[in-house]
Amino acid sequence: MLLPEVITKLHDSITGEVKTDPVTRVLYSTDASIQKIEPLGVVFPRNTDELIPIVNICNEYRIPVIARGSGSGLAGQAIGAGLIVDCSRYTNRLVSVNPEENTAVVEPGLILDDLNRAVRKYGLQFGPDPASSERATLGGCIGNNAAGAHSILYGMTADHILSAEVVLADGSVTSFKTVTSEYALQISKNAADTSTSEIEKEIYRSVRLIQSDYADEIKKRWPQTWRRSSGYNLNYLLSWSPTIPPQWDLSQLPYPPILPDTINLAPLLAGSEGTLGIIRTATLRLVPLKKYFVLAVINFSGIIEACNSVTKILELFPSAIELIPQSLMHLARSVPAYANQLSFVVGDPAAILIVEFSGDDLGFISDRIDKLNRLSNWDDKPYIAETPLQQKQVWEVRKVGLGILYSRLGDFKPISFIEDLSVPVERLGEFVGEMDTILSSYGTQADYYGHASAGCLHIRPLLNIKNPQGKVELRLIAQAAVDLVIQLGGAVSAEHGDGITRGEWIEWAYGPKVVEALRILKHAADPNRILNPGKIVDPPKMDSSLRYDDAYHPTGWTPVLAFASSAPDPNRLIEAIEQCNGAGVCRKSNGVMCPSFQATKDEMFSTRGRANLLRAMVSNGFSS
């Protein structure tokens, strides 16, 4: 727990709440990952100015500070044994919109869907569209370098952050923005603005060192795919990428979108998981809304067959290609809320690809659909979704994939630990085949779904990590999968970040010299190692701090209600509690789930919060 003098200083310095009680610490000990770490406390700044004294105090007492949005991360980025700063409750304003320049200034706690609703009247949107957009904060999207179904068109969050006002580790405030290489040199030599903090100078010195001494090794060891969010975005410092999103418009911007002879530190924040600074505001690039959309749904007799078709389909310039497996469709049919959404699925295919064409020219889209129909001798003619209602049904089933997969009762769950490996898209079918072989050798299988167009599939092997054997298999499968993806030129994380679950594999992927460059940047930005320590640089083992550790021995009681059984049963009650995976869908900003959270913005009144508290109750998980 925080020292009393620290709590007193925080209370004296900010108007926001500071909570260190056991209930709050349990509520913030987990996210959507398999990990659990109880924080020292949680602070809720009322405005972005209060981030400055919070960081100052944490720096003075060497207390780790962990910035958190909705806590929907899948790798344990937003948990840790320090002071969690919840930016979602109050620091969530849309500061301004500039429709002439297609930009918006946002606070870190603003929900992505709320931003898109606000800028839709200008015909604009934020390009990256993670499936969690209904509850994901922009600060979290930046921290994870989020992307989504349309990444082949818009790239990743790093490609859309123009600048950011940042609280550095010593409490000083600066702006990360595009500067000339010459200006960066002057800062690093103490010849520029005399008010520049020593930490900012050190960051620019580290950047210049990385550019001069590590460029060759970065290019040699970097994954051969643009779809990556592992480590820091060092390639943006080189204005270089091994590949580009296939539909990126090079006539508008280079890729990565860094102009020659310039440096912009803002894209380094994307994927940094709060380890380089705390965002006060970010200026984001917006993109024009497309006028027309048409979806084609194609049946396949196998997932590998579907994956092997992606490269041909990409030649037709789609804006998205998403994979949905048979297992997800079967589970959706078993859930009344989703069963009636599946009218677009013809028969019982082993997999389907959702192919989207979009643009301002309906004739062009019609031509693409005609060419798609003639592209292959499809087993079934593609289903064409032309109306907004038809398209909404298709996308809804895709977006609720994680929740549906986690609806399984019992100890075996689809576990997120090789969650978002990516490979060059032309090797996607090969990757799935080899992964099937790995999983079969451990007597299990996985659900694959997601961003086939970008070579990034969400993979969740069925494991029981509540027992010792499951924990051993967790590590062995992860090691084999990481070896495979590196052999294929892929990335160990392509969307959901490193955190605790995948940080261990960074050195496997990049080698010691690139990791040395990561460490140089981290130590320049955070000399006292208070900013979310143990993430990206010097990470712990991936199977440490597990939510279901050796001390977890739940004991239920006979409830009044029956949970998935004909009569009240303590074991069924525990299964119901453990069904919550922490994804935080109950925190979405509109709709009917969860009204108590929407009214209070208090984690305790979310469905996830109740599940976390119940899990602690049945397992003696409360500390003093």
Side-chain angles (χ1 to χ4, degrees), residues 66 73 91 117 131 177 182 243 246 260 266 268 340 371 402 407 413 429 438 489-490 512 560 590 619:
I66 301 132
T91 55
R117 275 189 285 270
K177 59 186 178 182
E182 178 61 27
T243 58
L268 291 179
N340 62 358
K371 288 182 176 177
L402 173 60
S407 64
K413 299 285 189 186
I438 291 170
V560 174
N590 65 351
S619 62

Side-chain angles (χ1 to χ4, degrees), residues 489-527:
V492 297
S493 177
E495 176 174 27
H496 297 151
D498 298 308
I500 300 169
T501 314
R502 287 181 285 279
E504 181 178 349
W505 313 126
I506 293 175
E507 187 159 357
W508 284 41
Y510 292 117
K513 188 161 186 181
V514 173
V515 168
E516 186 178 286
L518 300 176
R519 189 172 283 114
I520 288 170
L521 177 60
K522 166 64 174 176
H523 289 178
D526 186 19

Side-chain angles (χ1 to χ4, degrees), residues 293-297 344 383-387 390-391 394:
F293 299 87
V294 176
L295 300 182
V297 181
F344 64 88
Y383 167 84
I384 307 301
E386 296 182 282
T387 70
Q390 291 171 329
Q391 294 172 21
V394 176

Side-chain angles (χ1 to χ4, degrees), residues 231-521:
Y232 297 129
N233 293 322
L234 300 184
N235 63 309
Y236 284 62
L237 298 177
L238 310 179
S239 300
W240 169 83
S241 175
T243 58
I244 71 172
Q247 317 306 3
W248 184 268
D249 188 352
L250 288 171
S251 69
Q252 297 296 315
L253 284 170
Y255 193 85
I258 306 296
L259 298 177
D261 299 318
T262 67
I263 291 175
N264 188 351
L265 299 180
L268 291 179
L269 296 172
S272 70
E273 302 179 358
T275 62
L276 301 178
I278 307 296
I279 296 171
R280 291 184 72 194
T281 62
T283 301
L284 305 176
R285 177 188 293 113
L286 304 176
V287 298
L289 286 167
K290 301 294 185 183
K291 189 173 182 180
Y292 302 110
F293 299 87
V294 176
L295 300 182
V297 181
I298 309 171
N299 288 1
F300 291 91
S301 57
I303 289 178
I304 294 176
E305 179 195 3
C307 291
N308 286 336
S309 298
V310 171
T311 52
K312 291 189 301 181
I313 298 172
L314 281 171
E315 294 174 2
L316 301 179
F317 301 101
S319 48
I321 308 174
E322 294 288 292
L323 174 74
I324 296 181
Q326 185 182 65
S327 56
L328 194 151
M329 290 181 279
H330 284 181
L331 285 168
R333 284 195 173 106
S334 71
V335 180
Y338 304 124
N340 62 358
Q341 303 288 316
L342 285 161
S343 59
F344 64 88
V345 179
V346 178
D348 189 26
I352 61 173
L353 287 180
I354 302 167
V355 183
E356 180 193 84
F357 295 99
S358 61
D360 298 331
D361 182 348
L362 195 54
F364 174 82
I365 294 174
S366 297
D367 176 67
R368 299 296 100 181
I369 293 292
D370 288 342
K371 288 182 176 177
L372 180 68
N373 284 328
R374 300 194 303 270
L375 186 65
S376 179
N377 185 24
W378 307 115
D379 291 341
D380 298 293
K381 185 178 179 181
Y383 167 84
I384 307 301
E386 296 182 282
T387 70
L389 178 59
Q390 291 171 329
Q391 294 172 21
K392 183 175 184 293
Q393 288 179 325
V394 176
W395 285 125
E396 282 296 314
V397 173
R398 162 61 189 90
K399 289 188 74 170
V400 298
L402 173 60
I404 292 176
L405 292 176
Y406 248 88
S407 64
R408 292 182 173 97
L409 287 170
D411 291 335
F412 281 84
K413 299 285 189 186
I415 303 298
S416 299
F417 66 106
I418 49 173
E419 157 62 27
D420 61 340
L421 305 170
S422 71
V423 297
V425 68
E426 64 272 13
R427 306 195 75 172
L428 189 58
E430 179 185 358
F431 169 68
V432 170
E434 293 295 328
M435 274 304 309
D436 279 343
T437 300
I438 291 170
L439 295 172
S440 294
S441 70
Y442 291 98
T444 189
Q445 61 183 26
D447 295 300
Y448 303 85
Y449 73 97
H451 316 304
S453 58
C456 172
L457 296 181
H458 300 316
I459 308 168
R460 292 185 172 86
L462 283 169
L463 293 175
N464 176 12
I465 60 172
K466 293 167 66 178
N467 67 31
Q469 180 182 347
K471 291 181 175 67
V472 170
E473 291 172 347
L474 181 79
R475 168 165 288 279
L476 293 176
I477 291 171
Q479 289 174 338
V482 168
D483 278 341
L484 171 62
V485 82
I486 292 171
Q487 290 170 21
L488 296 177
V492 297
S493 177
E495 176 174 27
H496 297 151
D498 298 308
I500 300 169
T501 314
R502 287 181 285 279
E504 181 178 349
W505 313 126
I506 293 175
E507 187 159 357
W508 284 41
Y510 292 117
K513 188 161 186 181
V514 173
V515 168
E516 186 178 286
L518 300 176
R519 189 172 283 114
I520 288 170
L521 177 60

